[in-house]
Amino acid sequence: MNNYEKPFLVSGRNTLIHKNKKLDLVVVNDDDDPNIIVTRHGVKLFTESVPANRAEAKERYMEVVDISSSDVFGEVKTLLFIQAINNKEYKVDYSKKGTDLFIRIHQENYI
């Protein structure tokens, strides 16, 4: 049994819930898709290099979340909803990468 507490929850088929404000989530979807970062302030593009392993991520106060891995969603997603700690739900539409519609606020005050 793994005692490691994840800083996020998975809800439904395409919703990721950020639950630990001390760790940022680096969300990786597919090799061709841009990476995003979920902080306590919201969601934005992640332009830095992705940590190579868990130890490097921990040093940078991050957690890498590969949403296509079997312990998260198990498949590459085109549409992803992220509930951030700032009481906003973001809609990430990978079919619109490179445009202003790629990351946008879907719902204010989801709680």
Side-chain angles (χ1 to χ4, degrees):
M1 186 72 116
N2 189 1
N3 292 333
Y4 176 67
E5 177 84 16
K6 293 182 180 179
F8 64 92
L9 296 171
V10 174
S11 175
R13 301 178 81 193
N14 62 349
T15 303
L16 193 69
I17 301 169
H18 186 204
K19 67 176 191 173
N20 186 344
K21 69 180 180 180
K22 293 180 182 178
L23 290 175
D24 296 338
L25 303 179
V26 177
V27 179
V28 177
N29 189 27
D30 196 16
D31 292 339
D32 299 333
D33 291 331
N35 300 320
I36 58 174
I37 186 166
V38 183
T39 67
R40 58 190 165 128
H41 301 293
V43 178
K44 63 181 179 179
L45 281 172
F46 185 66
T47 55
E48 302 171 27
S49 63
V50 177
N53 53 38
R54 182 174 279 163
E56 182 183 340
K58 187 177 178 182
E59 288 175 6
R60 294 169 62 180
Y61 298 100
M62 295 178 174
E63 174 80 15
V64 177
V65 181
D66 184 358
I67 59 176
S68 64
S69 69
S70 61
D71 61 332
V72 183
F73 291 118
E75 63 185 2
V76 174
K77 294 292 183 183
T78 304
L79 187 62
L80 179 68
F81 293 97
I82 299 174
Q83 292 180 0
I85 293 176
N86 66 354
N87 290 341
K88 294 179 184 173
E89 183 176 66
Y90 293 85
K91 178 180 178 181
V92 180
D93 190 347
Y94 285 98
S95 67
K96 296 179 180 169
K97 58 187 170 192
T99 68
D100 290 340
L101 299 175
F102 175 55
I103 299 172
R104 61 185 177 157
I105 296 175
H106 179 67
Q107 188 175 0
E108 299 257 3
N109 300 327
Y110 68 89
I111 295 178

